[in-house]
Amino acid sequence: DIQMTQSPSSLSASVGDRLTITCRASQSIGRYLNWYQQKPGTAPNLLIYAASSLQGGVPPRFSGSGSGTDFTLTITSLQPEDFATYYCQQSYNYPRTFGQGTKVEIK
Amino acid sequence: QLQLQESGPRLVKPSETLSLTCTVSDGSISSRSFYWGWIRQPPGKGLEWIGTIYYSGYTYYHPSLESRVTISLGTSEKQFSLRLSSLTAADTAVYYCARESTRPGYFYAMDVWGPGTTVTVSS
């Protein structure tokens, strides 16, 4: 199985901050990397697919980059509705695997 | 716009078999552009992929669950199902169904999710 490791596991930030979350795969996965946002009590929502493509309806303050084993999710100018948990996921092969999540909390 | 909805029992006894159904609205599972999967999330924990099925019936399962899980197509083009046997308390989780997109550029991202259904395994 491909292991996905996110860092940090949690962070505190303020509205307006720039935020970067990293995700590392245990082997090269090309650009088969997706990012999801999950708010309490709701299903995950796709933000970024194929490492850097913005899903329709997602604000442009979200962006993704990387390829191979190292990836980042960046949120410029954090908004109140962005406080949530973020997961990376590889879709390079089966079994699909997720990172452990990064919880973004209000400072 | 296509939507997914999970249905099934909320409380199941240990050692029994869980059966869940995912119903697709405003769409069909017979498209070659999509795979259909199940993911679960234990209370307070992260996401765990369970398995995926293609319109042809071909399946992929998580190795740790493969001996207990079956994903199948429904009798209509609007449903697919999950069966998980020999349940224990560790199977208590929110269960989600989701669509994996094979459309060009999507690289099998899970672009549509159901709202999830909470399943508790307890006597």
Side-chain angles (χ1 to χ4, degrees), chain B residues 10 23 60 66 73 85 90 101:
Chain B
R10 293 181 176 267
T23 301
Y60 303 87
E66 191 161 18
L73 301 174
S85 64
S101 181

Coordinates of all heavy atoms in Angstrom, one line a residue, chain B residues 10 23 60 66 73 85 90 101:
Chain B
R10 N -28.9 1.5 10.9 CA -28.0 2.3 11.7 C -27.3 1.5 12.8 O -26.3 1.9 13.4 CB -28.7 3.5 12.2 CG -29.1 4.5 11.1 CD -29.8 5.7 11.6 NE -30.1 6.6 10.5 CZ -29.3 7.6 10.2 NH1 -28.2 7.8 10.8 NH2 -29.6 8.4 9.2
T23 N -27.8 5.0 -3.7 CA -28.7 5.3 -4.8 C -28.2 6.6 -5.5 O -27.9 7.6 -4.8 CB -30.1 5.5 -4.2 OG1 -30.5 4.3 -3.6 CG2 -31.1 5.8 -5.3
Y60 N -12.5 -3.8 -6.8 CA -11.2 -3.6 -6.1 C -11.6 -3.5 -4.6 O -12.5 -2.7 -4.3 CB -10.4 -2.4 -6.5 CG -10.2 -2.3 -8.0 CD1 -11.1 -1.8 -8.9 CD2 -8.9 -2.8 -8.5 CE1 -10.8 -1.7 -10.2 CE2 -8.7 -2.7 -9.9 CZ -9.6 -2.1 -10.7 OH -9.3 -2.0 -12.0
E66 N -10.8 -7.5 2.5 CA -11.2 -8.3 1.3 C -11.9 -9.6 1.7 O -12.8 -10.0 1.0 CB -9.9 -8.6 0.5 CG -10.2 -9.2 -0.9 CD -9.0 -9.1 -1.8 OE1 -7.9 -8.8 -1.3 OE2 -9.2 -9.2 -3.0
L73 N -23.2 -4.4 -8.0 CA -24.1 -3.5 -8.7 C -25.6 -3.9 -8.4 O -25.9 -5.0 -8.1 CB -23.9 -3.7 -10.3 CG -22.5 -3.3 -10.8 CD1 -22.4 -3.7 -12.3 CD2 -22.2 -1.9 -10.5
S85 N -19.3 -8.4 6.3 CA -19.6 -9.5 7.2 C -18.8 -9.5 8.5 O -17.8 -8.8 8.6 CB -19.5 -10.8 6.5 OG -18.2 -11.1 6.1
A90 N -15.1 -2.4 15.9 CA -14.2 -1.6 15.1 C -14.8 -1.2 13.7 O -14.2 -0.4 13.0 CB -12.9 -2.5 14.8
S101 N -13.9 9.7 -10.7 CA -14.1 10.1 -12.1 C -12.8 9.7 -12.9 O -11.7 10.0 -12.5 CB -14.2 11.7 -12.1 OG -14.4 12.1 -13.5

